[in-house]
Amino acid sequence: MPKRKDIKRILVIGSGPIVIGQACEFDYSGTQACKALREEGFIVILINSNPATIMTDPEFSDRTYIEPLRAEVIARIIEDERPDALLPTLGGQTSLNLAVELAESGILEEYGVELIGASLETIQLAENRNLFRNAMQEIGLKVPAGECVNSLEEAEALRDEIGFPLIIRPSFTLGGIGGSVVYNREEFRRAAKWGLSASPVTEILIEESVLGWKEYELEVMRDAADNFVVVCSIENFDPMGIHTGDSITVAPAQTLTDVEFQAMRDAAKKIVAKVGVETGGSNIQFGLNPENGEMVVIEMNPRVSRSSALASKATGFPIAKIAAKLAVGYHLNEITNDITRKTPACFEPAIDYVVIKIPRWDFEKFPGNDTRLSSQMKSVGEAMGIGRTFKEAMNKTLRSLENGWSGFHANGNYPYSRMSNEALMDDLRWGTPDRILKIWQALTNGISPEEISNIASIDVWFLKNLQQLVEFETHITEEFVQRRTLTPETLRSAKSLGFSDKHIALLTGNLENEIRRQRKENGISPSFKIVDTCAAEFESFTNYYYSTYDEENESIPSNKKKVIVLGGGPNRIGQGIEFDYCCVHGILALKDLGIEAIMINCNPETVSTDYDVADKLYFEPLTYEDVLNVIELEKPDGVIIQFGGQTPLKLALDLERVGVPIWGTSPDSIDLAEDRDRFGALLDSLDIPHPQYGTATSIEDAVEIGQKIGFPLMVRPSYVLGGRAMEIVYDLKSLEHYMQHAVNASEEHPVLLDRFLEDAFEFDVDAISDSERTEICGVMQHIEEAGVHSGDSMAVLPPFLLSRDQYEDIKEYTRMLAEALNVKGLINIQFAIMYDTINVIEVNPRASRTVPFVSKATGIPIAKIAAEVMAGKRLDQIGYTFKDRLPYVAVKESVFPFDRFEKADIYLRPEMRSTGEVMGIATTFGEAVFKAFQSTGITIPKSGTIFISVNDNDKARMFPILKACLN
């Protein structure tokens, strides 16, 4: 049937801030769906509290509300906007829970708002653990034995009935929060209490353990005419017991027999029909006993999910876009696939390659916590790799993680080689972030795939493939020892298996560039294949590619003016969705200028890796080798490194050395800002105040500098993002300890030591320069004290405690530094004011994480303007009026993952630990802060007595802040 004519205005609820378990995959899904709805002529009203998302850009909706995601706030928007329908399936668990609350409170009925995409009954049936279990049993499908309970007493009674080990799953939560695997009575009481408190309906499912079973996911779609498709099958490399968000996953499923797959497919069709999914996509999880093939249903999500983004990127099938169209009345057979322009959406995707996703963790930010993986998700991001085989895809994905891994290889930098086989095998029982490299060590030590499988419950098929990689490493090493070189046949075979040049160099003791030179001389270069959803059965019209080592190349470069934008890779604390926002804006600006925009990235969650954002998308690791391969094929007029955070900056100097044209600020200027000695000399020459500093490469250097400068000191590695390994030290003993034990995330670069300006007020400035003129985009004041990382601190724009003279001095220093660094594009500067002296703390001539916040607060697309500047336009040609004053106040507040880490301290420090942010906008500072707190889930009492204690020396400075808060 055609689209519905009885609805015109649709309310879409976003997912809110980026948190573990609900990240930027919902920005991708929401953006795609909003575009689809507007293309169909609907008026889209969006509410979301996250300023860093593309979906909150004004061009993607007709009305955009950056407001707290609370039922009472949405009710007021419904009252004002009078939408005909609410689409709750795009904003993760947050949106579903709010839809249920609005429906059950009578708000939707009062204003005549229809739930589309998923009915209230469908949501309740899928999300209520007990109802779902009963429904599965009614249609003849097995579920693990168990029951839902609502109290600790009921939980303990059920515990004794089922026996250990047990799985605890709270209802209506995201990312498995509050979930546990419990092995004994001592653990049970605490785990049950935690699960009950985590569930918004105080309900937990306690079920028998299926630990060690194989786990699968099916991404499926169904329409109102009962058309049903399996978009993608996904197999977890890790067994049941590890949350799917923390598991390595492979698509399509590799070890299912055809009989098992058909049984799973039939079960999925029955499930979505029973639950009542009529207009959209669902994710269904199954457990499979490897001993006898017994299948159980674990859970389903009647919405686009984290895996939906992965499935969309893996197949090229736009799940969120099609789900949005199904929600407004279309059937699958009426929607044409964008990629083939011939096949309907009811034509199931077929892929002739393998896709692997590997999560990325930041456990080092939370020392002392258990790094074992369980049913509660802890990863902060993920990378995806595409290859012709499992082996090639695994190697590509491992080197996409940007944690120093060159592929499936653990060289001497890892401690596994010093472990006994007994200790190694004991470690392999548990899922950990580095288990994949421990498997490499075990195989290298001669432990068989069957022995590892018995311990780790990983399918032998995967382990035998990994064993073949280890065996080929041995072949490379032995051949090199015998011949002092590698034959072209060995090199070609290594590349087809996904071995990087760096990996081969480690095995042969060569330099990476020497391996590159050797294979190029032998004509061994990658070809690029298209992601087409149909295994080449139909012609593809989408320029979405991955590399492999094959004879046929399907990516044909154009003769147009073209620019490559390097993305940020997997999300991590310190480098998240904000940089993808900048990349997408840069791409859109280049396209508007008529320049062919090419994207390289390996993050499946992001908008930048959507197939219809850039003119060409290469889903590739962001390494020197892989980026240069694309550059050599495309021969671009320029490469933009400013938008992707620290990831592309690390490649800048090496790319420039081989003649790659870098657009924007030069790599040398970026290096000047990072090199503390060079930068300090620049500040001195400009007569700009700054803290005393020094650089050290040894404990002795650091002690000498500490005695000279005095304490407290801010110490940190150079060339890092998110304050990685940054600390404040107050004495020589602490300084010596830091130099001995802190992870030097900058590798060969020195440690920076600056005098810490205790009790200073900090400010962030974002600006744009065309190398002649500099415009200030925003000046933000940190609300937290000095010493809290800027990514963790609340910030307010405009600043509330800055005199006109100080404001002008900050603007002048910004212009001086932009000119001295010859900035062409974005620049971010951090200032600290202490005793009325303005000090420059840090300068970053690139995109900062505050660019989206400032853009949303001022209404000026900063990243787009920066891209135009890099393309050669002058600021006076672009025509934007940069605002010096705003008629409202915007506050940025951070959200933290402390609830995921039992032993995490909650004290903020120089090293960033937040995963995302929200924005509060109001006419007063106090109201803006209140909204920001609401958006993070912090409840503030509206009445009562407070006690405030302030040092005498600080009272004069603090009075305006306290007055604003109290007002």
Side-chain angles (χ1 to χ4, degrees):
M1 59 184 276
K3 71 178 180 183
R4 293 175 58 174
K5 304 291 185 182
D6 58 328
I7 56 175
K8 293 181 174 59
R9 301 169 67 84
I10 299 175
L11 176 65
V12 174
I13 303 176
S15 61
I18 302 302
V19 294
I20 290 176
Q22 190 164 272
C24 60
E25 62 268 14
F26 294 104
D27 180 36
Y28 156 73
S29 298
T31 300
Q32 195 179 73
C34 286
K35 285 195 297 185
L37 292 174
R38 294 191 78 196
E39 286 169 3
E40 293 293 336
F42 293 99
I43 295 171
V44 176
I45 303 148
L46 171 72
I47 175 170
N48 201 358
S49 57
N50 190 339
T53 58
I54 293 296
M55 74 183 299
T56 49
D57 275 0
E59 57 259 49
F60 290 99
S61 302
D62 297 278
R63 302 279 194 281
T64 303
Y65 289 88
I66 300 184
E67 294 288 328
L69 290 174
R70 296 172 67 95
E72 64 270 22
V73 175
I74 299 172
R76 291 199 298 272
I77 292 171
I78 288 173
E79 183 180 7
D80 289 342
E81 293 287 352
R82 301 299 173 106
D84 302 301
L86 166 59
L87 182 56
T89 55
L90 304 169
Q93 198 64 44
T94 299
S95 181
L96 278 189
N97 290 355
L98 284 165
V100 170
E101 187 176 352
L102 289 165
E104 291 182 338
S105 66
I107 294 294
L108 299 185
E109 183 179 0
E110 179 182 350
Y111 292 100
V113 181
E114 178 187 350
L115 272 178
I116 60 174
S119 67
L120 177 62
E121 294 74 19
T122 295
I123 298 171
Q124 290 173 327
L125 184 54
E127 297 294 326
N128 183 295
R129 302 282 187 181
N130 226 22
L131 293 177
F132 182 69
R133 288 174 55 80
N134 294 338
M136 295 304 97
Q137 291 168 342
E138 287 172 11
I139 58 176
L141 297 177
K142 292 183 180 179
V143 291
E147 196 173 315
C148 286
V149 298
N150 300 95
S151 70
L152 186 59
E153 292 73 25
E154 292 175 333
E156 289 178 331
L158 187 60
R159 171 202 66 195
D160 296 336
E161 181 182 329
I162 298 176
F164 294 105
L166 292 169
I167 306 291
I168 295 178
R169 301 181 193 276
S171 294
F172 289 91
T173 61
L174 60 93
I177 190 166
S180 303
V181 180
V182 185
Y183 294 91
N184 54 55
R185 286 174 172 267
E186 289 72 24
E187 297 173 340
F188 181 82
R189 190 176 182 87
R190 178 190 58 79
K193 281 183 176 179
W194 187 21
L196 288 166
S197 65
S199 170
V201 294
T202 319
E203 178 183 87
I204 55 174
L205 168 64
I206 300 176
E207 62 185 15
E208 68 173 337
S209 165
V210 286
L211 294 177
W213 287 29
K214 294 158 72 171
E215 186 166 9
Y216 297 88
E217 298 176 71
L218 292 188
E219 284 294 327
V220 303
M221 302 200 82
R222 179 176 184 262
D223 65 21
D226 199 30
N227 293 310
F228 170 85
V229 294
V230 174
V231 177
C232 188
S233 63
I234 301 172
E235 178 169 359
N236 286 17
F237 175 90
D238 298 291
M240 287 292 300
I242 296 176
H243 192 279
T244 55
D246 278 351
S247 177
I248 296 172
T249 58
V250 187
Q254 300 292 300
T255 70
L256 274 178
T257 66
D258 186 59
V259 171
E260 290 169 335
F261 174 73
Q262 293 305 326
M264 200 172 286
R265 189 183 191 283
D266 291 343
K269 191 174 190 298
K270 291 168 68 174
I271 291 169
V272 292
K274 177 64 176 178
V275 173
V277 177
E278 291 187 345
T279 56
S282 295
N283 168 267
I284 308 174
Q285 296 170 27
F286 297 91
L288 195 73
N289 189 334
E291 300 296 325
N292 56 21
E294 179 187 356
M295 184 180 75
V296 294
V297 182
I298 305 299
E299 66 178 7
M300 79 168 294
N301 293 299
R303 55 171 170 83
V304 295
S305 66
R306 179 186 320 103
S307 297
S308 301
L310 176 69
S312 294
K313 302 299 170 67
T315 62
F317 188 97
I319 292 173
K321 178 178 183 177
I322 292 172
K325 293 197 173 192
L326 295 179
V328 295
Y330 286 107
H331 292 167
L332 284 164
N333 59 294
E334 297 171 326
I335 303 169
T336 302
N337 186 310
D338 292 341
I339 289 182
T340 64
R341 298 181 188 172
K342 290 181 180 179
T343 58
C346 59
F347 188 91
E348 289 192 349
I351 58 179
D352 52 1
Y353 46 82
V354 176
V355 174
I356 291 179
K357 174 219 80 180
I358 303 179
R360 159 111 190 197
W361 294 269
D362 273 343
F363 281 114
E364 66 272 14
K365 299 277 186 177
F366 308 96
N369 278 276
D370 188 356
T371 60
R372 288 185 297 181
L373 307 178
S374 66
S375 60
Q376 179 176 249
M377 183 176 167
K378 296 177 183 177
S379 63
V380 295
E382 60 193 28
M384 184 181 107
I386 310 176
R388 300 296 278 183
T389 64
F390 169 80
K391 292 186 277 288
E392 182 182 29
M394 176 62 78
N395 265 322
K396 288 181 71 176
T397 313
L398 285 168
R399 70 176 184 262
S400 297
L401 289 170
E402 294 180 51
N403 51 15
W405 299 356
S406 59
F408 184 61
H409 178 72
N411 59 25
N413 294 330
Y414 300 95
Y416 319 128
S417 60
R418 297 187 293 275
M419 294 174 68
S420 68
N421 279 3
E422 184 180 3
L424 195 61
M425 292 296 279
D426 190 56
D427 265 17
L428 287 174
R429 295 177 189 276
W430 308 100
T432 56
D434 58 352
R435 177 157 72 167
I436 188 69
L437 296 194
K438 290 175 183 173
I439 291 172
W440 176 89
Q441 188 66 59
L443 292 168
T444 300
N445 290 359
I447 299 173
S448 71
E450 289 77 11
E451 289 176 275
I452 297 171
S453 180
N454 288 336
I455 288 291
S457 299
I458 296 169
D459 194 278
V460 171
W461 185 89
F462 292 124
L463 296 169
K464 286 187 174 180
N465 271 266
L466 295 177
Q467 183 184 43
Q468 291 164 18
L469 290 174
V470 170
E471 290 169 350
F472 201 83
E473 281 189 323
T474 303
H475 172 72
I476 290 172
T477 304
E478 290 176 351
E479 181 174 282
F480 186 80
V481 168
Q482 292 172 2
R483 301 170 57 95
R484 304 312 303 164
T485 187
L486 297 177
T487 65
E489 292 74 23
T490 295
L491 263 180
R492 185 174 293 280
S493 295
K495 299 308 291 184
S496 68
L497 290 170
F499 282 73
S500 65
D501 292 346
K502 183 178 179 181
H503 189 166
I504 299 170
L506 286 170
L507 295 171
T508 59
N510 271 306
L511 296 174
E512 180 180 355
N513 275 334
E514 174 58 26
I515 301 298
R516 184 180 186 86
R517 182 196 61 77
Q518 186 180 347
R519 67 173 176 82
K520 299 279 284 183
E521 284 179 354
N522 285 282
I524 304 170
S525 293
S527 57
F528 292 90
K529 300 293 185 180
I530 200 161
V531 175
D532 58 13
T533 80
C534 62
E537 188 175 346
F538 297 90
E539 182 183 0
S540 174
F541 295 91
T542 299
N543 294 317
Y544 173 15
Y545 301 97
Y546 67 96
S547 70
T548 188
Y549 280 78
D550 200 341
E551 292 183 4
E552 183 186 11
N553 180 60
E554 296 175 355
S555 178
I556 309 303
S558 72
N559 294 320
K560 298 177 182 177
K561 184 175 184 179
K562 66 184 74 166
V563 173
I564 290 176
V565 177
L566 301 185
N571 283 8
R572 70 216 77 162
I573 291 176
Q575 184 166 300
I577 187 176
E578 305 88 356
F579 295 100
D580 196 69
Y581 171 96
C582 295
C583 288
V584 172
H585 272 234
I587 288 166
L588 297 177
L590 293 169
K591 290 172 72 174
D592 287 344
L593 294 172
I595 298 171
E596 183 178 327
I598 300 170
M599 185 76 212
I600 305 177
N601 205 358
C602 56
N603 188 338
E605 303 178 39
T606 59
V607 175
S608 70
T609 51
D610 198 356
Y611 66 88
D612 65 352
V613 171
D615 292 304
K616 261 186 164 180
L617 168 65
Y618 288 91
F619 213 105
E620 291 294 297
L622 287 157
T623 68
Y624 171 74
E625 172 188 344
D626 296 287
V627 167
L628 196 53
N629 285 339
V630 177
I631 290 171
E632 288 178 343
L633 174 73
E634 291 288 351
K635 298 179 174 55
D637 295 87
V639 174
I640 292 178
I641 61 170
Q642 277 190 32
F643 293 144
Q646 203 67 33
T647 297
L649 295 186
K650 290 179 180 178
L651 304 176
L653 287 170
D654 287 338
L655 292 177
E656 189 180 49
R657 286 191 193 106
V658 294
V660 175
I662 305 295
W663 273 23
T665 307
S666 72
D668 183 65
S669 290
I670 294 170
D671 185 70
L672 193 161
E674 287 282 356
D675 186 313
R676 195 59 181 171
D677 288 327
R678 293 180 67 195
F679 183 61
L682 174 66
L683 292 175
D684 289 336
S685 70
L686 296 173
D687 199 24
I688 295 177
H690 60 89
Q692 291 176 278
Y693 70 91
T695 59
T697 56
S698 67
I699 295 176
E700 294 73 23
D701 289 347
V703 168
E704 182 180 344
I705 293 166
Q707 290 173 329
K708 177 182 176 182
I709 294 176
F711 292 90
L713 284 173
M714 181 76 76
V715 291
R716 61 187 171 121
S718 49
Y719 290 90
V720 296
L721 201 65
R724 178 71 189 97
M726 185 185 290
E727 289 184 17
I728 301 168
V729 296
Y730 287 88
D731 51 46
L732 282 174
K733 184 178 179 181
S734 300
L735 178 59
E736 290 174 356
H737 182 269
Y738 176 87
M739 294 298 293
Q740 282 177 335
H741 300 287
V743 177
N744 189 346
S746 61
E747 296 171 350
E748 74 274 12
H749 300 292
V751 171
L752 313 180
L753 300 91
D754 294 88
R755 180 64 186 263
F756 174 52
L757 303 180
E758 204 163 21
D759 296 328
F761 287 92
E762 290 194 39
F763 298 82
D764 252 284
V765 176
D766 279 318
I768 300 175
S769 180
D770 60 11
S771 73
E772 294 179 2
R773 174 184 164 196
T774 301
E775 288 287 352
I776 309 298
C777 303
V779 178
M780 294 148 280
Q781 181 165 359
H782 295 190
I783 295 175
E784 266 81 16
E785 62 192 23
V788 174
H789 191 277
S790 61
D792 285 352
S793 177
M794 290 185 77
V796 57
L797 189 159
F800 56 81
L801 198 66
L802 197 63
S803 71
R804 169 53 64 179
D805 287 343
Q806 289 172 330
Y807 188 76
E808 292 300 324
D809 286 344
I810 283 177
K811 288 166 64 176
E812 182 58 27
Y813 287 158
T814 300
R815 293 188 177 103
M816 290 168 64
L817 285 165
E819 181 180 352
L821 292 168
N822 197 30
V823 170
K824 198 169 186 180
L826 294 164
I827 183 172
N828 170 266
I829 306 179
Q830 294 176 27
F831 294 92
I833 297 181
M834 188 172 182
Y835 305 127
D836 293 326
T837 299
I838 300 173
N839 292 271
V840 169
I841 302 298
E842 187 176 332
V843 174
N844 296 299
R846 55 162 171 81
S848 71
R849 72 178 54 81
T850 51
V851 164
F853 170 73
V854 175
S855 297
K856 299 292 167 65
T858 62
I860 296 174
I862 298 169
K864 284 185 178 179
I865 297 169
E868 291 183 53
V869 165
M870 284 185 263
K873 279 195 170 186
R874 298 191 312 273
L875 283 170
D876 56 12
Q877 294 175 306
I878 296 172
Y880 274 95
T881 302
F882 293 87
K883 301 173 182 178
D884 208 31
R885 288 286 183 263
L886 297 174
Y888 45 80
V889 177
V891 169
K892 172 186 78 72
E893 172 61 315
S894 302
V895 293
F896 300 89
F898 298 136
D899 57 353
R900 300 275 172 169
F901 301 100
E902 186 178 358
K903 297 178 182 178
D905 70 79
I906 60 172
Y907 299 104
L908 304 183
R909 48 170 63 96
E911 182 164 354
M912 182 175 167
R913 297 196 292 174
S914 61
T915 56
E917 64 188 42
V918 296
M919 182 175 185
I921 309 176
T923 53
T924 66
F925 174 74
E927 188 181 355
V929 169
F930 181 77
K931 280 186 169 184
F933 280 151
Q934 275 194 316
S935 296
T936 62
I938 297 173
T939 302
I940 302 176
K942 296 182 180 179
S943 62
T945 303
I946 61 171
F947 176 79
I948 300 171
S949 176
V950 181
N951 292 331
D952 288 338
N953 293 338
D954 293 332
K955 285 177 180 176
R957 293 187 294 169
M958 292 297 294
F959 180 73
I961 306 171
L962 298 176
K963 183 178 179 182
C965 287
L966 293 173
N967 287 339

